[in-house]
Amino acid sequence: MLVLGVESSCDETALALVGDDGVAASVMATQADLHALFGGVVPELASREHARLIGPLLDELWRASGLTWNDVDRIAVTRGPGLLGSLLVGLAFAKALALGRGLPLIGVNHLHAHLLAAGLPPDEERLAFPALGVLVSGGHTHLYRMDGPTALTALGRTVDDAAGEAFDKAARVLGFPYPGGIHIDRAAQQGRRGQYKLPKPKVNGSDFDFSFSGLKTAVINISHHAQQVGEQIDVNNLAADFQGTVADILTDHLMRAAEHTGANKIVVAGGVSANSGLRAALSKACEERGYPLYLPQLSLCGDNAAMIGSQAYYEYRAGVRGDLSLNGVASMPVDKIFY
């Protein structure tokens, strides 16, 4: 079975061909430089760019794969969550292809697809369910129990800023361009922890929910105070303390949740899973406890269409089908799938 995956949930336009043997081809057009001018994603501009890019990107996919429409069996598309205008561009494109070629259409929960990216190519044994998964991105920080590729139960989520959002906001006050996570990572590798005392916020009444707003605000306050008194901030050390604190929070939550649920396998996904500090902290914690750790390739940490095609592979096998009434859903419950 060969699935054409379509991803347009935010500011990356992506297409991929995913089959039983893995990813046959994957192409992407990023809008990062455009949105960097505004310090963040502008939804209307993102939608227009998706509409401009997605057609030529399909031509590029055929050239990269050497395949044709005759090889494609299914069309998969991100249904949500995401920016509604961006989602609708991908949905309209996927529905037109499905109608024109007479192919089944499958709508995919973008968050679930991220968690399965560590298992690409599609291979249920590769991830060895059940497992504990954490999705860490610019818009989401969610903790799941994963009993199978289509059986996910939310255990915790952020009550304010997502971890990736905190990275971007902290990066801005430190003088880094958007997107800021990669710049903080690079600076942190040149710095040392311990100079700046930062909080590790906890959510009252919840063991597994996250909060990153207070941590972000602490970095902002340190920067503003230094400006007011004429002091110089050590940007590399502050980046190291911030990144290390985020990694500590995520690692602590995961290890406690693993003990609570009895899950002994850890899956990490989302754009922030590419962060070197987080990868190092989780690798160390999992090694100490004997937990297998599953991380996506760096190229699959961010939004991509390969993960959409892979998730659809499992959904179709589970009996999921869509039709031309499929619509975009900007905000979706983290533990449910809508078709």
Side-chain angles (χ1 to χ4, degrees):
M1 180 169 70
L2 188 69
V3 181
L4 170 62
V6 179
E7 157 62 21
S8 65
S9 64
C10 190
D11 62 338
E12 271 92 22
T13 315
L15 301 173
L17 291 166
V18 182
D20 297 334
D21 297 326
V23 182
S26 181
V27 294
M28 178 187 297
T30 180
Q31 305 175 19
D33 290 343
L34 171 64
H35 298 290
L37 298 173
F38 305 94
V41 177
V42 181
E44 177 63 23
L45 292 180
S47 303
R48 293 179 182 182
E49 282 297 285
H50 285 306
R52 183 179 72 86
L53 294 166
I54 200 165
L57 205 60
L58 181 60
D59 295 333
E60 183 181 338
L61 182 69
W62 296 132
R63 290 192 296 268
S65 67
L67 299 173
T68 70
W69 274 116
N70 293 330
D71 300 301
V72 179
D73 302 296
R74 314 278 183 264
I75 306 289
V77 60
T78 300
R79 187 180 181 192
L83 300 176
L84 186 57
S86 293
L87 290 169
L88 292 177
V89 174
L91 278 160
F93 186 73
K95 287 195 282 188
L97 295 179
L99 178 63
R101 300 299 307 184
L103 295 172
L105 179 67
I106 306 166
V108 172
N109 184 321
H110 177 84
L111 306 185
H112 294 182
H114 264 302
L115 286 166
L116 271 293
L120 278 167
D123 182 355
E124 191 166 350
E125 294 183 1
R126 185 185 180 103
L127 285 181
F129 300 104
L132 193 67
V134 64
L135 170 62
V136 198
S137 69
H140 303 89
T141 303
H142 294 153
L143 185 63
Y144 295 89
R145 177 178 171 85
M146 304 170 63
D147 291 302
T150 60
L152 292 86
T153 303
L155 301 177
R157 66 204 72 187
T158 182
V159 299
D160 41 53
D161 291 353
E165 181 183 2
F167 264 100
D168 285 337
K169 290 179 178 177
R172 183 184 304 172
V173 78
L174 293 179
F176 295 123
Y178 173 87
I182 188 171
H183 298 288
I184 284 189
D185 195 354
R186 290 170 180 167
Q189 293 177 43
Q190 304 301 316
R192 293 187 299 174
R193 292 189 66 180
Q195 180 175 349
Y196 299 96
K197 186 176 181 180
L198 298 176
K200 296 180 181 178
K202 295 184 178 180
V203 180
N204 289 335
S206 174
D207 289 332
F208 304 129
D209 283 339
F210 299 92
S211 171
F212 292 100
S213 179
L215 173 59
K216 168 209 67 183
T217 300
V219 174
I220 293 172
N221 288 342
I222 288 171
S223 176
H224 288 174
H225 176 74
Q227 292 174 8
Q228 291 169 358
V229 299
E231 293 179 354
Q232 186 72 29
I233 286 179
D234 189 316
V235 172
N236 291 342
N237 284 353
L238 183 51
D241 278 320
F242 173 78
Q243 177 169 289
T245 303
V246 173
D248 288 346
I249 292 170
L250 291 166
T251 300
D252 177 66
H253 275 62
L254 267 171
M255 296 305 107
R256 286 190 292 105
E259 294 177 4
H260 175 78
T261 62
N264 61 358
K265 306 173 191 71
I266 306 296
V267 178
V268 185
V272 183
S273 67
N275 181 270
S276 65
L278 176 59
R279 284 184 170 238
L282 286 172
S283 296
K284 180 180 178 182
C286 288
E287 183 178 356
E288 290 174 349
R289 293 164 175 81
Y291 296 160
L293 174 63
Y294 300 90
L295 291 161
Q297 302 171 31
L298 290 178
S299 62
L300 297 175
C301 290
D303 294 345
N304 64 86
M307 70 182 190
I308 302 303
S310 177
Q311 181 68 23
Y313 178 95
Y314 296 113
E315 304 294 356
Y316 190 87
R317 193 180 66 180
V320 172
R321 305 291 185 271
D323 56 36
L324 296 183
S325 67
L326 198 67
N327 205 352
V329 183
S331 180
M332 303 176 76
V334 296
D335 53 352
K336 292 184 179 180
I337 308 172
F338 280 74
Y339 303 100

